[in-house]
Amino acid sequence: MTKHEKYINRAIELSTLGMDSGAGGPFGCVIVKNGQIIAEAFNEVIKNNDPTAHAEIQAIRTACTNLKTYQLNDCYVYCSCEPCPMCLGALYWARPKHIFFANTRKDAAEAGFDDDFIYEEILIEPHKRKIPLTQIQTASAIIPLKKWSLLTNKKLY
């Protein structure tokens, strides 16, 4: 068994543990740095009444807390399933070195977890989406962004 198989198997094991405990759907995630697991989690959407409590989000939060950083440079992420759009976005913000996954989003759709509609919605103009997004422009809205762009001591992320 390769090291990658070891960690992906742990993510799969976590997906079953979370599902069997009633915490949420069958999804698990492991984050590894320097050959050590620094975080692992399973989906806790039902347990926490939190639609963002996906395994990847939970693992990112734990890993960043453990590493005392907001980025996961030089980390490897192992997911029991291809990340949904929310988790993929969070993973991109966290900037790991590599993401591995076992099941595809098509496999998840066949089990009743269809994220394709979100991928499709992203391509639609905001005001035409199933949940419309409407911009409210005010004179003061841009001020914080302009102030941020002028800061010389900001920490980029």
Side-chain angles (χ1 to χ4, degrees):
M1 176 185 311
T2 69
K3 64 180 178 180
H4 296 304
E5 289 173 327
K6 171 185 165 185
Y7 298 127
I8 203 75
N9 284 336
R10 178 61 182 155
I12 294 164
E13 182 181 324
L14 288 164
S15 73
T16 301
L17 288 171
M19 178 185 62
D20 288 349
S21 72
F27 304 100
C29 182
V30 173
I31 300 178
V32 175
K33 184 171 185 176
N34 298 326
Q36 298 293 316
I37 293 176
I38 57 167
E40 58 181 31
F42 49 72
N43 182 295
E44 296 185 84
V45 168
I46 295 169
K47 176 185 172 195
N48 295 343
N49 293 314
D50 179 354
T52 69
H54 290 198
E56 296 89 341
I57 302 296
Q58 303 292 79
I60 290 168
R61 289 173 178 159
T62 300
C64 288
T65 297
N66 289 344
L67 294 174
K68 296 177 176 43
T69 183
Y70 51 83
Q71 292 186 336
L72 299 176
N73 303 4
D74 299 321
C75 291
Y76 294 86
V77 179
Y78 297 86
C79 308
S80 64
C81 191
E82 184 178 355
C84 75
M86 175 184 68
C87 293
L88 184 60
L91 287 163
Y92 267 84
W93 283 119
R95 293 176 174 83
K97 191 169 192 168
H98 201 115
I99 303 166
F100 299 91
F101 63 92
N103 294 307
T104 66
R105 68 189 199 206
K106 183 178 178 183
D107 296 327
E110 289 174 7
F113 297 94
D114 193 1
D115 298 332
D116 274 342
F117 87 93
I118 299 172
Y119 284 101
E120 292 167 7
E121 285 283 298
I122 291 169
L123 301 175
I124 298 171
E125 291 181 51
H127 68 279
K128 293 182 179 178
R129 294 180 183 159
K130 289 184 180 170
I131 300 175
L133 280 75
T134 304
Q135 182 181 16
I136 300 174
Q137 293 179 312
T138 67
S140 62
I142 198 70
I143 293 171
L145 291 174
K146 285 184 177 182
K147 184 175 179 181
W148 172 263
S149 67
L150 297 174
L151 287 176
T152 57
N153 63 342
K154 64 183 165 235
K155 191 169 186 177
L156 298 177
Y157 57 92

